[in-house]
Amino acid sequence: MLYVISIGAFQALIAVLLLWKNKFRNKADALLIVLLCCIATHLGIKFYIYSFVEDLHIRTQMNTFIGLCYGPLAYLYVLKLLDDKFIPATRMYLFIPFVLAAIAYLTVFCLLLADVPVGHRALRVYNDLSTWLFIAFGAAFPLMIFRKLRQIKAKEERQLVLHISSLMLAVAAVGAVFRAIGYFREFTMENMLLCRNICYILLSLICIDILRFKYAGIVSGRTAAPPAPVAEEDSTGLIHAKEDHTETPAPKKIQLSEAAHRKILQQLDQHLASTKLYLDPDLGLDKLSAAIGESKYHVSEALNMYAGKSFYQYVNEYRISRAMEIMTSIHQKNLPVNILMIAFECGFKAKSSFNAYFKKITGETPSAYLSRLKAGAAAC
């Protein structure tokens, strides 16, 4: 058992480190990092108990309360995926059983230190109640997650959530089966070890799945395409893509066909035209790919390989086109044009970046464009 526990704890810690360092981490991934930390802590406590505690009652009955936060964390992760503005702290009541179990755990620990026989009786009660609570939570939250599964548009995220919730449900099922067996026949040490080994292996698989989907970007054994260029902001406030002034490099391995690239571009064009999502100043590759239900790696590949543009070039072309429409409409109504307000309305966060992209895309500055409009109107 110690090998299973130590390997699982090591996998959880590695997953935390790699996911934390992953530059494509989104806001919801913070909940996955907390989940991984909880798994690592859970297995770490068990490693200590099985390595250094000789009391057989503690080794077999001291359930670790941390397992009660797995379901709530996974559920909050799904809610955050569905609504980027969702604040997990508003659902902290989901962790009330976890807090109560932690208090009971510490109480039993203190009783064991003060009076061993009394502590053993308290431990037996704690073990019975916590076991059924683990089973109930392990079944309830995955079922709640399954109900929201279809609302997750991104295929990779949907598959990851399905895997995590299924493994949590499997842990609950294993616990329920072995608990039921204990009512009809004597629950031996071998049965207890088998039950815990299976549960710890399933927890390890959760860590592996999170790594497989979130860090390596692998789905069904396929290597993901490279990500889109990352935006940078220089000292003048200009936001631009790293590769705006260089040739877009070819990815190491092309995953999709030209027809698939074309289909993704058509989806992007149709979605942006109908929803005007490009007006969102916080629009990123994650949000855009989730909006059309495609992998962000595939969207990045389609933009780079088929359109020959970075993500920011592509989005800012829509923004500048919209800005030109607004400026033309305002000018035709003989109203004053506020370039800064137009820049903000079209999704830019700074006037300098708006001016730079306007000139890059149209060949002239916004002021020059307005002057040309006025000259054209005067000639008429």
Side-chain angles (χ1 to χ4, degrees):
M1 177 178 286
L2 286 178
Y3 290 110
V4 174
I5 295 174
S6 58
I7 291 173
F10 179 75
Q11 287 175 336
L13 291 173
I14 292 298
V16 168
L17 178 62
L18 293 179
L19 186 56
W20 182 265
K21 294 293 185 180
N22 188 357
K23 62 183 178 180
F24 302 109
R25 187 177 72 246
N26 57 41
K27 294 179 181 179
D29 288 348
L31 292 164
L32 287 184
I33 293 175
V34 175
L35 174 60
L36 290 168
C37 288
C38 290
I39 293 176
T41 304
H42 182 172
L43 297 178
I45 292 174
K46 283 300 180 182
F47 182 85
Y48 176 83
I49 290 176
Y50 285 111
S51 298
F52 302 104
V53 177
E54 297 182 358
D55 190 321
L56 187 60
H57 292 278
I58 297 177
R59 289 164 66 94
T60 58
Q61 298 182 25
M62 200 71 168
N63 290 330
T64 306
F65 61 91
I66 297 175
L68 288 173
C69 68
Y70 296 161
L73 285 171
Y75 183 65
L76 292 179
Y77 174 71
V78 173
L79 296 182
K80 188 67 174 178
L81 283 179
L82 296 177
D83 182 5
D84 190 57
K85 296 181 180 179
F86 170 72
I87 302 175
T90 59
R91 301 292 180 93
M92 290 304 291
Y93 59 83
L94 296 175
F95 295 93
I96 292 177
F98 164 76
V99 174
L100 295 177
I103 295 172
Y105 186 92
L106 294 176
T107 302
V108 170
F109 177 77
C110 292
L111 288 173
L112 287 168
L113 292 177
D115 190 330
V116 175
V118 173
H120 284 167
R121 289 194 294 272
L123 178 59
R124 192 178 305 112
V125 175
Y126 167 79
N127 180 69
D128 290 338
L129 293 177
S130 61
T131 298
W132 285 115
L133 195 57
F134 289 146
I135 293 172
F137 260 47
F141 280 97
L143 294 178
M144 292 166 62
I145 292 172
F146 288 152
R147 294 180 60 184
K148 294 185 174 293
L149 205 57
R150 292 184 179 180
Q151 300 177 34
I152 303 175
K153 295 181 179 180
K155 185 192 300 183
E156 290 185 6
E157 295 287 4
R158 188 165 59 248
Q159 288 182 342
L160 173 60
V161 169
L162 175 62
H163 284 208
I164 292 176
S165 53
S166 297
L167 289 170
M168 288 183 177
L169 188 60
V171 171
V174 170
V177 168
F178 278 89
R179 194 65 180 173
I181 292 174
Y183 284 110
F184 298 101
R185 53 186 294 186
E186 184 180 358
F187 199 69
T188 64
M189 176 66 72
E190 289 75 15
N191 289 337
M192 185 275 296
L193 291 176
L194 178 60
C195 176
R196 292 184 182 275
N197 270 324
I198 294 174
C199 291
Y200 298 151
I201 289 172
L202 292 173
L203 290 178
S204 299
L205 291 177
I206 291 177
C207 302
I208 293 173
D209 268 335
I210 292 175
L211 271 180
R212 192 163 67 94
F213 282 88
K214 301 299 293 187
Y215 179 78
I218 299 174
V219 180
S220 302
R222 296 183 300 169
T223 304
V230 180
E232 291 185 334
E233 184 171 347
D234 60 24
S235 58
T236 64
L238 172 61
I239 300 175
H240 58 87
K242 285 183 179 179
E243 297 170 0
D244 275 355
H245 306 292
T246 59
E247 183 179 353
T248 304
K252 295 180 180 178
K253 184 178 180 181
I254 299 176
Q255 295 294 313
L256 303 177
S257 65
E258 183 177 340
H261 288 163
R262 182 169 58 252
K263 180 181 177 181
I264 290 176
L265 260 295
Q266 289 174 348
Q267 287 179 284
L268 290 174
D269 289 335
Q270 291 172 1
H271 187 79
L272 291 181
S274 61
T275 66
K276 292 182 171 53
L277 186 61
Y278 55 86
L279 299 179
D280 181 0
D282 296 318
L283 180 63
L285 183 60
D286 280 320
K287 186 180 292 187
L288 180 59
S289 56
I292 65 170
E294 289 287 346
S295 161
K296 63 182 178 182
Y297 303 102
H298 292 166
V299 171
S300 173
E301 181 183 299
L303 288 172
N304 281 273
M305 299 304 298
Y306 188 79
K309 303 172 183 177
S310 71
F311 166 78
Y312 287 95
Q313 286 175 307
Y314 176 74
V315 171
N316 284 328
E317 285 180 2
Y318 271 93
R319 291 171 173 169
I320 296 303
S321 177
R322 176 60 178 166
M324 293 172 69
E325 292 176 4
I326 295 174
M327 292 166 70
T328 301
S329 175
I330 293 175
H331 173 72
Q332 290 175 347
K333 296 176 182 178
N334 293 320
L335 298 174
V337 178
N338 188 321
I339 294 178
L340 179 60
M341 293 302 297
I342 293 175
F344 289 156
E345 184 177 344
C346 293
F348 288 93
K349 293 184 177 181
K351 184 179 179 181
S352 57
S353 58
F354 172 69
N355 289 340
Y357 270 111
F358 197 100
K359 185 172 183 179
K360 179 181 178 65
I361 293 171
T362 67
E364 57 186 346
T365 64
S367 299
Y369 178 74
L370 283 174
S371 298
R372 186 161 58 82
L373 288 178
K374 293 176 181 178
C380 295

